[in-house]
Each structure stands twice: as C-alpha cells, then as structure tokens.
Amino acid sequence: MQVRRCTKCMEELKEGVRLCPHCGYEQDSTAQPSNALNRNTILHGRYYIGNVIGQGGFGITYVGLDLVLDMKVAVKEYFPTGSVSRINSYSNEIQWDFTGSGRESWSDGIDRFLREARKMAKLDSVPAIVRVRDAFPENQTAYIVMDFVEGDTLKNYLLGHGVLRCEECMALLSPILDSLVVIHDRGFIH
C-alpha cells in the first residue's frame, strides 16, 4: 500500500513533493531517533506512522494516520527505557533484555500498558482526557492509538510568551482539575 502523506502533519502530498505545502516540513529532513519505528510503517494494517512527537521513560509517541477513518491520530508505543532496544535501520521489531526476570517484566509491562488503554477508554466522556481509539500488541510490544490533539506544549508556550499570570494559569488548570474530580469519582485515582 502506497501512502503519500507528510510525516509531520499527515496532510496528503502529491507524488515527488518533498516540501509539504500545508506545514512547510521537508520530508525526512529531521532524523527519527534510532530506537523509534521507521516513518511510513503501517501498524495493525491500519495506522500509518510519521514523526516522533514525544519520548519518555516508558514510551515513544508518534503522529499517525488512521487509514480506515482517514484521520490524524497519536500512536503511543510501549518502549521502556533500559529494557528494550531497536535499531530501526534493520527492523521495527524490539529487542528485549531477558536477563534475570526480564521475560516476566516484559509480559507484565505489556499487560499493564494495555490495561491503561482500557482504563483511559472508559474515561471517553471526560473533556480533558484524550480519547483512546484502539490498543493492540505488535512488534513484541504494544500500542495505544488516541485522538491527536493539535496545539503546543506548555513548555514551548512559556518559551514564546514568558511567565503566565495567575488568571492565565487558572484558565489552563481549571478544566484539568474538573476532569480530575470526575476521574477520582469514578475510582481511577485514590
């Protein structure tokens, strides 16, 4: 299956076009981290993978496209730092460290990750929680597919605008606190 999309914004690209007319990104102009999935990978026969948009201790998040619904999504991959490796020039398969209790940790970690997806899916109606659309195991790990939320990080906003006034902080925090109340009432946080 040939997909022609910008790997940053997921808008359609004409054949041979390297500079996205929508976001200005030059395709493959930034290096994908060596431990990340290759761009243009299709997961679960349905999710086209683009650029890495975040990486932390337990996972890597990618911009993606749901090829069935033709919509931009975020795809979070279970990838706990220190326990796994991947060299994406060879394969999207993950190499796990199975020394000691590694095999048990691997299985438990994937189960916890998929349980997290199920819990998040039950919070679908809570406004400040990103909607989970799918979750599945693949490549010896697991993935959660969520709605893509357009916007900037708080860190980038602060770098561009400086310190926030109290009123601005409250405007940002109030919806989050309201959602935390709902989550707590439903027993997800004790």
Side-chain angles (χ1 to χ4, degrees), residues 6-7 11-12 14 58 75 108 111 124 129 169 185 189:
C6 172
T7 59
E11 292 292 331
E12 280 192 67
K14 292 183 179 169
F58 285 97
V75 180
D108 289 347
D111 288 344
D124 219 24
I129 303 295
C169 287
D185 287 347
I189 299 175

Side-chain angles (χ1 to χ4, degrees), residues 17 24 33 46 49 54 64 73-74 78 80 97 103-104 112-113 121-122 124 133 135 165 171 173 177 186:
V17 171
R46 176 176 182 166
I49 299 300
V73 294
Y78 178 62
D97 176 8
R103 184 170 295 281
E104 189 176 310
R112 276 192 313 275
F113 187 79
K122 290 178 177 144
D124 219 24
R133 295 192 161 272
R165 296 184 336 270
L173 289 175
L177 294 173
R186 292 188 187 178

Side-chain angles (χ1 to χ4, degrees), residues 8-190:
K8 182 177 180 188
C9 72
M10 288 295 142
E11 292 292 331
E12 280 192 67
L13 292 178
K14 292 183 179 169
E15 189 170 351
V17 171
R18 291 201 34 85
L19 189 65
C20 178
H22 306 281
C23 72
Y25 177 70
E26 183 178 349
Q27 302 308 294
D28 301 328
S29 64
T30 57
Q32 194 83 322
S34 63
N35 61 347
L37 288 167
N38 289 306
R39 288 181 187 101
N40 307 310
T41 294
I42 297 178
L43 293 175
H44 212 51
R46 176 176 182 166
Y47 303 106
Y48 175 76
I49 299 300
N51 293 356
V52 169
I53 54 175
Q55 190 167 359
F58 285 97
I60 303 171
T61 305
Y62 307 86
V63 63
L65 181 74
D66 182 332
L67 297 170
V68 173
L69 298 176
D70 191 30
M71 66 182 295
K72 191 175 181 178
V73 294
V75 180
K76 183 176 181 182
E77 177 180 44
Y78 178 62
F79 197 95
T81 304
S83 300
V84 296
S85 63
R86 171 195 291 130
I87 300 175
N88 64 11
S89 58
Y90 298 116
S91 169
N92 282 324
E93 292 288 321
I94 289 179
Q95 302 301 311
W96 287 87
D97 176 8
F98 284 146
T99 59
S101 63
R103 184 170 295 281
E104 189 176 310
S105 296
W106 165 68
S107 179
D108 289 347
I110 289 174
D111 288 344
R112 276 192 313 275
F113 187 79
L114 292 172
R115 274 196 311 272
E116 174 190 333
R118 286 189 288 277
K119 284 181 182 179
M120 288 173 56
K122 290 178 177 144
L123 299 170
D124 219 24
S125 62
V126 180
I129 303 295
V130 175
R131 182 175 164 192
V132 171
R133 295 192 161 272
D134 200 358
F136 54 91
E138 193 169 319
N139 294 327
Q140 297 185 343
T141 191
Y143 300 89
I144 299 173
V145 180
M146 301 166 282
D147 285 344
F148 188 91
V149 178
E150 297 286 348
D152 206 356
T153 65
L154 179 58
K155 179 181 178 179
N156 285 342
Y157 184 86
L158 292 173
L159 288 172
H161 296 88
V163 177
L164 296 175
R165 296 184 336 270
C166 182
E167 300 80 30
E168 293 171 306
C169 287
M170 288 311 297
L172 287 173
L173 289 175
S174 288
I176 296 168
L177 294 173
D178 292 344
S179 294
L180 281 173
V181 168
V182 173
I183 293 167
H184 185 268
D185 287 347
R186 292 188 187 178
F188 286 101
I189 299 175
H190 359 263

